[in-house]
Amino acid sequence: MPENLTLHDGHALPALGFGLYKVAPEDAAGVVEAGLAAGYRLVDGAELYGNETEAGHGIRRALDSGLERTAITVTSKAWGEGDQSRDATLRAFDASEHALGAGVGIDLYMIHWPRPARGEYPQAWRALVELQQQGRVRSIGVSNFTEEHLARIVDETGVVPVVNQVESHPWLPQHDLRAFHERHGIVTQAWSPLGRSRVLEDPEVVRIAREHGASPAQVIIRWHLQLGGAAIPKSSRPERLRENLDVDDLELTADDLVAIAALETGERTGTHPDDRQ
Ligand SMILES: NC(=O)C1=CN([C@@H]2O[C@H](COP(=O)(O)OP(=O)(O)OC[C@H]3O[C@@H](n4cnc5c(N)ncnc54)[C@H](OP(=O)(O)O)[C@@H]3O)[C@@H](O)[C@H]2O)C=CC1
Ligand SMILES: O=C(O)C(=O)[C@@H](O)[C@H](O)C(=O)CO
């Protein structure tokens, strides 16, 4: 089982979780139940994903089977399209909490995108600080923030997010942003950690996987963990959820890491943070 990272607020964050973007609502309860049964302890959700009610059902089924609520981390994110004011952000939190349902709740809440053209993300961040001060959420973080966005919210509020969830995979390792995070005690949590499955086909990744008797996904997940970051690969298939978690016995060599470092192209599979309106 991959280790926990320690957040600067003192709480633990599982280094490996699973994500729910593009998990069909009709599959979400089963996927969440399968993920938790496989041993994952972090479920990455969001208002945008349109499956929080069903994810909540899956979590509750796992709790009914004996899993302790305190053993898992449930995340959600405020989408913020068209309105990132304090009130809109608080309403988004209420809606996600309600959708997840009684007995579930949110442990880590994030701003999904900074939407810098709106200029409202500091207001959204103040809303998250308020939620944490009120004890409604344990930890607060952001997603898709650049150094500039991070510096602004820290300057204006003095509160440093515990996590910045950003696109990262071997094509886009984000070394500079990771170094900035490290200086400020922020955990880098990689979204699309498998490059939305496209990086799995990279011949170098396939070669390294073959040499270790592992799968390409396991090699990339291990790379994330050996970088010291967190990752939230998505799969709707129980056998892949198990495969992606089964990386404890894999150790990439220094040569493997050099070969993977050479894959950096800067190519994104998603939107650049400055371009999301
Ligand atoms: N904060 C943000 O802005 C964003 C956050 N996210 C978060 O990150 C999570 C992961 O990102 P996502 O974009 O889904 O991309 P991933 O890099 O996790 O790739 C998911 C794809 O890889 C496939 N896959 C997963 N495991 C394997 C495997 N072992 N072998 C072969 N194929 C595999 C999946 O297919 P299948 O399901 O069929 O197995 C799916 O097509 C999201 O679910 C979400 O929680 C994602 C985007 C943006
Ligand atoms: O970045 C994109 O272009 C996407 O499709 C996704 O990242 C999506 O917008 C998202 O934020 C999922 O969490």
Side-chain angles (χ1 to χ4, degrees):
M1 180 81 58
E3 77 280 15
N4 281 329
L5 302 174
T6 303
L7 301 172
H8 74 66
D9 65 9
H11 293 292
L13 185 87
L16 190 54
F18 65 105
L20 296 177
Y21 183 44
K22 302 243 160 139
V23 174
E26 61 272 24
D27 296 337
V31 167
V32 168
E33 205 178 359
L36 294 173
Y40 289 90
R41 292 296 175 262
L42 184 144
V43 184
D44 183 70
E47 178 187 0
L48 172 76
Y49 304 162
N51 54 21
E52 286 195 301
T53 300
E54 296 77 7
H57 292 157
I59 293 168
R60 250 190 321 279
R61 278 193 224 152
L63 299 179
D64 290 345
S65 305
L67 182 68
E68 291 288 333
R69 176 63 186 85
T70 51
I72 62 173
T73 300
V74 178
T75 82
S76 184
K77 318 179 193 86
W79 181 236
E81 187 172 20
D83 192 352
Q84 276 187 310
S85 64
R86 168 190 174 274
D87 288 357
T89 307
L90 294 177
R91 279 197 302 276
F93 179 84
D94 288 346
S96 287
E97 194 179 51
H98 180 75
L100 284 162
V104 177
I106 300 166
D107 301 298
L108 167 62
Y109 197 54
M110 291 170 267
I111 300 173
H112 206 140
W113 289 87
R115 304 182 188 280
R118 298 195 64 81
E120 290 179 337
Y121 63 87
Q123 294 178 45
W125 182 240
R126 283 197 193 88
L128 267 58
V129 172
E130 207 175 309
L131 287 166
Q132 188 182 37
Q133 284 169 346
Q134 290 169 352
R136 295 194 60 199
V137 69
R138 193 179 78 192
S139 297
I140 52 174
V142 295
S143 175
N144 298 303
F145 274 44
T146 64
E147 290 181 28
E148 181 189 338
H149 309 138
L150 289 166
R152 180 156 173 212
I153 56 170
V154 175
D155 278 356
E156 290 194 19
T157 65
V159 182
V160 180
V162 290
V163 162
N164 189 14
Q165 185 185 107
V166 293
E167 179 173 356
S168 188
H169 40 70
W171 294 346
L172 187 73
Q174 302 261 32
H175 292 305
D176 291 347
L177 188 58
R178 283 175 189 264
F180 181 90
H181 289 163
E182 206 160 308
R183 289 198 296 280
H184 293 84
I186 300 168
V187 168
T188 306
Q189 190 184 48
W191 64 253
S192 295
L194 309 175
R196 306 195 190 207
S197 84
R198 287 165 51 196
V199 186
L200 300 177
E201 287 158 25
D202 190 292
E204 272 301 276
V205 174
V206 171
R207 177 189 65 77
I208 294 167
R210 198 175 302 120
E211 282 177 12
H212 285 278
S215 72
Q218 288 172 326
V219 166
I220 296 177
I221 291 166
R222 192 69 219 165
W223 171 81
H224 283 284
L225 299 176
Q226 286 185 220
L227 278 188
I232 43 168
K234 171 264 175 187
S235 180
S236 294
R237 308 186 198 191
E239 70 280 9
R240 287 183 174 172
L241 284 168
R242 288 192 293 274
E243 173 189 323
N244 295 348
L245 191 63
D246 183 18
V247 293
D248 283 355
D249 295 336
L250 175 61
E251 186 71 23
L252 300 177
T253 65
D255 285 348
D256 296 334
L257 296 175
V258 169
I260 296 173
L263 303 182
E264 178 172 5
T265 57
E267 187 176 335
R268 290 176 186 271
T269 63
T271 309
H272 188 284
D274 283 331
D275 296 337
R276 170 75 65 181
Q277 306 286 312

